[in-house]
Each structure stands twice: as C-alpha cells, then as structure tokens.
Amino acid sequence: MPQPLQALIFDVDGTLADTERNGHRIAFNRAFAEAGLDWHWDVPRYGKLLAVTGGKERMTYYVDRYRPDYAKPADFAERVAVLHRAKTRHYTALLAGGAIPLRPGVRRLLAEARAAGLRLAIATTTTLDNVTALLAHSLAPDAESWFEVIAAGDVVPAKKPAPDIYHYALKRMGLRAEECLAFEDSQNGIRAARAAGLKTVITTNAYTHDHDFHGAALVLDGLGEPDRPFQALASAIALNGARYFDLALARRVHADG
Ligand code: XBP
Ligand code: MG
C-alpha cells in the first residue's frame, strides 16, 4: 500500500540556492586571505573540491591533495576549525547583503506545500548559521519557522554521501522515508538521500549537471516557473506535459517515481 506524501526534505547548497560559486567559494577565499594564507580557490578548482562535502573536510582535503608544500602544524584541526568559523562569518555577511537569491520555483513550491499542510524539513551538510541566514535573507524573515526540522552540519558524524543527515531528519520528524520526497542537486546528495531510502528529485546546476544521478525519480534543470519551464533530463514517470514542478507533480513522483 503506497504511503501518502507527508513531507518534503530539501538540501540547501545548490538546491534552494546557487550558493557555492558566488557564496561559499568567496567566503573561503576571504577567510584564507584574512589568515594570511596563500590559498585561493578559483571557479574550476572549487568545482573539483566540491567532491568533498563540508567546509572543514574540504579544506583538509585541499591541503592533503594540492598543498604538499604546506607544513601542517600540530594543531591543524583546530586551525581548520578557526578558519571555518571565519568563513561562516564571511558567508553569512554575503547572504545578509542579499548576494544569493533562491533558485526559480523554490519559493513557489514551498508556499504551495505550506498552504497544503505538507511538512517541510532541511537536510544539509552546511552549518546551521548558514541555513538560517539564507532562509531569513533570501526567503522570508520568519522562514526558519516554516521548517519543522533543520538538520545541518556537524549534528551527525558522517556528512553526505552518508545517509546520516537524512536518517536524523526522519527520526526528528517521526516519519519513514516512504512518506517523504527529497530534493537534491548533486551526486553526493542523491547518494545520501537514496541510501536513506528516499525518492529524490534532482535540480541540476552549473557545478553538478554532469554528475551521475542514477536512482533519481526525476532530474530537472530546475523547478521551473509557469513562465520559465523546466527541462526534464531524466524521469521515471510520464510528465504529461508538466512544465514546472508543483505539488501535483511532487505527489505523482512520490507515488510512481
Ligand atoms: C554542501 C556543501 C557544503 C558547503 C560548505 O553540500 O558541500 O560543504 O559547500 O558548507 P550539500 P560549510 O549541498 O550536499 O549539503 O562550510 O558550512 O561546511
Ligand atoms: Mg547540494
């Protein structure tokens, strides 16, 4: 017996907004410069570094992979944590300045889901401060309260592609994976969502359009808007002429995808 759709669970970076290139990347570089480091992540380099989720994990990977010249101090992990706090400060300042808009269709879908009484949650690798800043500055001042659970960052030991953050969100909501639909933009994201048993809708972006989205119920170039239709890149269901992603399509993907 199919379970009715109860909740939508959203990734943040790359899914709610294109935060990586002009947000996180800039903030990392500002933190590096402020600390007097000669580290700089240009757009293509950052694309490669996105293979590792989590800012602290990404910095550690960068040093291990690309900076054999850097002599790691004994307190390297603490230095990375300090750098990461500075990066979060720069990133939230960028958001407060209105630097990063939501992706097309996100506000419309969230509003429709709320009006229909669907439950909403977030499952992300990024820091809670970053999520709340994005919601407040790019969605609505009270948008944090739209989400029943915001599962973020270090609340679980293993970040995506591990399923832990989705397991955590589902447990906090008291829901089973079969009752929810996940929204992701990346290969690490879909691996996490699928490993937690969630049907998943992908909206690709410039950094992720060539990722492997095997197992996705639907792969779109974005949620689309009535006047700005999506392009469907792969679909497990017949789209029957749908041009933008709304709740009716969410229910069909959940039921049949
Ligand atoms: C997002 C990330 C994050 C951000 C940086 O992945 O990889 O690490 O780039 O965030 P996903 P922090 O969208 O799959 O959750 O620096 O706050 O860790
Ligand atoms: Mg993402």
Side-chain angles (χ1 to χ4, degrees):
M1 174 87 177
Q3 301 292 320
L5 179 61
Q6 302 280 359
L8 308 181
I9 309 180
F10 291 87
D11 170 50
V12 174
D13 295 303
T15 301
L16 293 185
D18 269 322
T19 51
E20 294 292 5
R21 175 184 165 144
N22 298 325
H24 289 293
R25 187 183 68 87
I26 305 293
F28 279 114
N29 285 333
R30 287 186 181 166
F32 300 155
E34 193 177 63
L37 291 162
D38 69 344
W39 304 355
H40 181 82
W41 293 353
D42 62 17
V43 171
R45 160 69 49 89
Y46 192 65
K48 293 199 172 68
L49 294 171
L50 283 173
V52 175
T53 58
K56 295 190 286 289
E57 293 81 353
R58 188 168 299 143
M59 286 187 267
T60 304
Y61 171 75
Y62 167 72
V63 168
D64 291 343
R65 174 84 170 72
Y66 295 104
R67 298 306 298 254
D69 57 309
Y70 175 79
K72 270 191 188 175
D75 65 345
F76 179 65
E78 176 51 24
R79 297 237 191 146
V80 165
V82 170
L83 271 176
H84 192 245
R85 283 196 287 277
K87 177 258 169 178
T88 298
R89 175 165 47 78
H90 287 294
Y91 179 73
T92 52
L94 276 168
L95 292 176
I100 316 280
L102 296 178
R103 293 188 67 183
V106 168
R107 178 184 297 277
R108 173 184 53 72
L109 178 63
L110 289 173
E112 190 187 4
R114 265 162 61 77
L118 233 64
R119 297 163 68 181
L120 299 173
I122 278 173
T124 178
T125 289
T126 202
T127 315
L128 181 62
D129 284 350
N130 294 349
V131 182
T132 54
L134 180 75
L135 295 178
H137 296 295
S138 301
L139 184 52
D142 69 337
E144 192 180 336
S145 68
W146 297 12
F147 296 87
E148 182 179 333
V149 172
I150 299 180
D154 294 326
V155 294
V156 289
K159 294 189 168 140
K160 298 174 190 176
D164 304 27
I165 198 74
Y166 279 106
H167 286 147
Y168 176 90
L170 289 169
K171 190 165 178 208
R172 287 268 313 272
M173 284 192 293
L175 288 174
R176 281 170 296 147
E178 306 80 64
E179 298 171 295
C180 305
L181 192 59
F183 294 79
E184 280 284 356
D185 70 302
S186 70
Q187 188 170 352
N188 280 325
I190 190 167
R191 284 177 62 196
R194 294 296 294 147
L198 287 147
K199 284 191 184 170
T200 307
V201 175
I202 297 290
T203 50
T204 64
N205 57 56
Y207 270 134
T208 68
H209 61 88
D210 60 352
H211 284 192
D212 177 1
F213 294 119
H214 181 80
L218 184 57
V219 183
L220 306 171
D221 67 347
L223 294 175
E225 291 283 28
D227 61 351
R228 190 173 167 180
F230 60 54
Q231 263 203 327
L233 308 170
S235 180
I237 62 159
L239 290 172
N240 297 341
R243 290 158 55 84
Y244 59 95
F245 191 96
D246 61 4
L247 209 48
L249 187 51
R251 292 194 200 284
R252 285 210 293 124
V253 169
H254 176 255
D256 303 326

